[in-house]
Amino acid sequence: MNFHVHSGARTLGVIAAVLGALAAVVGTPARFERATSLSATDVVHVAGRERERVSARELAEWIRAGTPSLRVLDLRGDSAFAKHHIPSAEAVPLSMLDSVARAGETLVLYSDDDVRDALAHAWLQASGHRGTYVLRGGMSAWMADVIDPVVAGDSAEHVAALSRYFGGVPRAATDKPADEPVASARATRRSNARASLTPAVAAPDEFENVGRRGC
Amino acid sequence: MISPLPLSADAGSGVASAVALGVGIAFGWCLERSGLGSARKLMGQFTLTDLTVFKVMFSAIVTAMLGLFWLSWLGVVDPSRIYVPETFIAPQLVGGIVFGAGFALAGLCPGTSCVAAATGRLDGLGVVGGFFAGVLVMGLLLPAIGGFYASGARGGFTLADVVHVPQGVLVAIVVASALAGFDVAERIERRTARGVGRIGA
């Protein structure tokens, strides 16, 4: 091939030709073979799978039962995580999700953003991670259904006990609006319960402390 | 594995912005040094008198392709973490026609217009204003044309996914095509230069 170009460009051309020819010999690097691509269609498809969503109370049961290989990943960012988070949860940036997740684990993802949850879930699925769940309703559902639940019916006692285990303040559905001093006292108890969640997140023995404080 | 860098807002927007700024300045500098801040030079692409745009862009493609391939092979880059844009055939075809028409009319594309504007060229400033106006109009029209805008989603896929050949073979084909293309481009430039010379004489 006759290149009418100066010698620097000719040298670069020769280098490119050599690297290109060697690439043909190498074929496909292993990392390309497991390359992951994700489309909006994938995200919508995964987001619609109700069986891969878990309620706040189901998650609370899993944590309390010490489910093996369970990891709870908080996708909301460091500042929101520092304010309060689900016991045993780890703060994980979306960009680091793939490197944090390990095969064989049961992952539960949560944030307060359905789109973020769906993206993270779809990405993990596309990367080959199975056993991944999204917390339905995110952190708001945890606060409403586990920390500040309104209990009624046959399951009232069970839900109340679960809430107290995590430092929550269950309320009976028949409670009338409380007068000012009682409401103030309740708010203080809830505030204390929330505050107690932050330090009580790392180890199972600390869960026991949360449960005892709640009772 | 060190790349791609985890430069999302989660990783610290300050670092991400600093890296993006550095890459942007380097990109602009390379475009300017290649002469692509001049609309006259870019218009040479359409009149076949100056194929610098073709050569610069194809050089960038080959460099990035070889770099990505070999750095992946060495374990420095994880290609699974690189975003592959989605394909929407009809909307992107229309977008390509609009882009091409604007490019031919203005003599500048978005990147080169920023370079032209930064170097004080009035036509560059005009094109930058034009594409911001285009973005605004598109945003206003989106509720009306949103259905077409999102139609025909085909997902994210690469050339290797389509032609079903090993990545390395594809890299070799693209490199060979580029080198052959550079040779053809040089010949076309010389021929058109001779033609212009004869007309001038």
Side-chain angles (χ1 to χ4, degrees):
Chain A
M1 194 175 288
N2 181 23
F3 295 113
H4 297 274
V5 289
H6 59 79
S7 60
R10 186 187 296 269
T11 305
L12 289 174
V14 170
I15 292 171
V18 170
L19 289 174
L22 286 173
V25 176
V26 169
T28 301
R31 294 191 178 281
F32 268 106
E33 287 178 341
R34 65 177 185 81
T36 303
S37 65
L38 190 64
S39 69
T41 314
D42 296 332
V43 177
V44 171
H45 183 64
V46 171
R49 285 190 207 148
E50 194 56 29
R51 67 178 182 278
E52 288 166 2
R53 293 159 78 83
V54 61
S55 71
R57 284 178 190 160
E58 283 175 300
L59 175 60
E61 297 277 14
W62 291 359
I63 295 171
R64 187 170 67 165
T67 303
S69 304
L70 174 67
R71 287 178 75 193
V72 184
L73 306 182
D74 185 319
L75 309 174
R76 297 171 303 150
D78 289 340
S79 57
F81 183 84
K83 282 183 188 168
H84 54 254
H85 54 265
I86 295 174
S88 83
E90 306 161 48
V92 178
L94 206 53
S95 56
M96 301 300 290
L97 194 59
D98 194 30
S99 55
V100 167
R102 289 185 286 273
E105 293 175 329
T106 301
L107 302 175
V108 178
L109 314 172
Y110 76 90
S111 67
D112 273 329
D113 181 343
D114 289 344
V115 175
R116 177 172 284 235
D117 289 341
L119 270 175
H121 190 198
W123 180 253
L124 286 172
Q125 291 272 318
S127 304
H129 291 280
R130 297 293 176 262
T132 305
Y133 298 84
V134 169
L135 174 60
R136 193 184 298 118
M139 191 67 199
S140 306
W142 177 268
M143 297 305 291
D145 296 343
V146 177
I147 303 303
D148 284 333
V150 177
V151 296
D154 296 340
S155 63
E157 195 173 323
H158 177 75
V159 171
L162 190 65
S163 174
R164 290 192 193 98
Y165 180 85
F166 289 99
V169 186
R171 289 176 289 147
T174 53
D175 277 358
K176 291 179 180 174
D179 55 19
E180 193 59 29
V182 174
S184 175
R186 184 185 293 282
T188 304
R189 286 175 65 203
R190 281 189 200 140
S191 174
N192 290 340
R194 285 196 183 92
S196 73
L197 289 176
T198 301
V201 294
D205 59 332
E206 288 177 314
F207 297 164
E208 295 302 318
N209 294 338
V210 176
R212 279 193 290 274
R213 275 200 298 272
C215 290
Chain B
M1 192 66 58
I2 61 169
S3 185
L5 300 171
L7 294 177
S8 69
D10 293 331
S13 56
V15 176
S17 299
V19 172
L21 182 65
V23 171
I25 289 171
F27 179 62
W29 186 84
C30 290
L31 280 181
E32 175 59 23
R33 294 299 299 162
S34 305
L36 299 187
S38 165
R40 292 178 191 280
K41 199 167 189 66
L42 269 68
M43 286 310 292
Q45 181 69 38
F46 298 105
T47 57
L48 299 180
T49 53
D50 188 338
L51 299 179
T52 302
V53 174
F54 169 81
K55 289 185 279 188
V56 168
M57 292 305 172
F58 224 154
S59 298
I61 290 169
V62 167
T63 304
M65 194 173 216
L66 284 170
L68 187 58
F69 180 87
W70 285 107
L71 290 174
S72 300
W73 186 76
L74 292 169
V76 178
V77 167
D78 180 358
S80 70
R81 296 181 62 192
I82 294 174
Y83 173 64
V84 178
E86 286 185 66
T87 298
F88 302 84
I89 293 177
Q92 286 171 345
L93 193 62
V94 172
I97 291 169
V98 172
F99 182 95
F103 192 174
L105 284 171
L108 294 166
C109 62
T112 54
S113 66
C114 289
V115 171
T119 52
R121 291 187 173 97
L122 289 178
D123 57 344
L125 284 169
V127 175
V128 168
F131 76 67
F132 274 117
V135 168
L136 179 64
V137 170
M138 179 65 198
L140 294 172
L141 289 178
L142 196 58
I145 61 171
F148 175 71
Y149 181 80
S151 65
R154 302 288 292 272
F157 55 85
T158 63
L159 196 53
D161 297 331
V162 177
V163 296
H164 300 294
V165 298
Q167 289 280 354
V169 174
L170 192 66
V171 168
I173 291 170
V174 172
V175 170
S177 304
L179 294 176
F182 294 153
D183 187 53
V184 171
E186 294 281 324
R187 290 172 191 272
I188 291 172
E189 284 177 337
R190 281 198 305 278
R191 186 173 298 172
T192 50
R194 279 202 299 272
V196 171
R198 277 200 294 275
I199 293 167

